[in-house]
Amino acid sequence: QVQLQESGGGLVQAGGSLRLSCAASGLSFTNYNMGWFRQAPGKEREFVASITYSGGKTDYADSVKGRFIISRDNAKNTVFLQMTSLKPEDTAVYYCAARFLTIASYHYWGQGTQVTVSS
């Protein structure tokens, strides 16, 4: 059974930092590209960042470029999202997702972790 467990969310002031983690189990981690998504109240879920299976390529939403960094530790089956210079508009539930190498869409999702940025 595949499980993605996010952690590291919380309440932070604007300008602060948080590091999210996503521990994966039940899958061969190095066969999966990983991503982070977020959903703010009343809004649709949106892409935040992604990283390839080897960590060799990353991609970011324009809204977080230069502030967020995605990384992974394949030895620990974990993907991270380092968030800096946080803004109130970053407030959302953040989800970790996994996509098998040959599949275009993400098909495993975590339950999410809340990030709240106060002004």
Side-chain angles (χ1 to χ4, degrees):
Q1 180 180 358
V2 175
Q3 288 191 325
L4 302 178
Q5 182 63 58
E6 302 95 338
S7 62
L11 173 64
V12 64
Q13 288 189 333
S17 300
L18 280 176
R19 189 192 196 205
L20 305 184
S21 299
C22 171
S25 60
L27 51 74
S28 183
F29 192 63
T30 53
N31 285 338
Y32 287 80
N33 297 322
M34 301 297 295
W36 286 97
F37 292 75
R38 68 186 182 186
Q39 187 168 19
K43 295 187 177 181
E44 293 189 353
R45 186 167 56 194
E46 64 175 2
F47 168 77
V48 175
S50 64
I51 188 166
T52 55
Y53 67 98
S54 65
K57 184 178 184 298
T58 58
D59 192 20
Y60 297 91
D62 288 342
S63 58
V64 307
K65 277 181 184 175
R67 300 189 299 121
F68 292 9
I69 296 175
I70 187 171
S71 62
R72 65 190 292 163
D73 184 340
N74 284 345
K76 296 183 178 180
N77 287 8
T78 302
V79 62
F80 305 97
L81 186 68
Q82 178 68 49
M83 307 185 294
T84 61
S85 302
L86 283 161
K87 305 175 181 180
E89 51 264 44
D90 294 319
T91 295
V93 177
Y94 283 72
Y95 298 91
C96 171
R99 174 171 70 85
F100 188 69
L101 294 179
T102 58
I103 297 178
S105 60
Y106 289 89
H107 46 282
Y108 293 124
W109 295 84
Q111 295 199 343
T113 185
Q114 176 70 47
V115 171
T116 302
V117 184
S118 64
S119 57

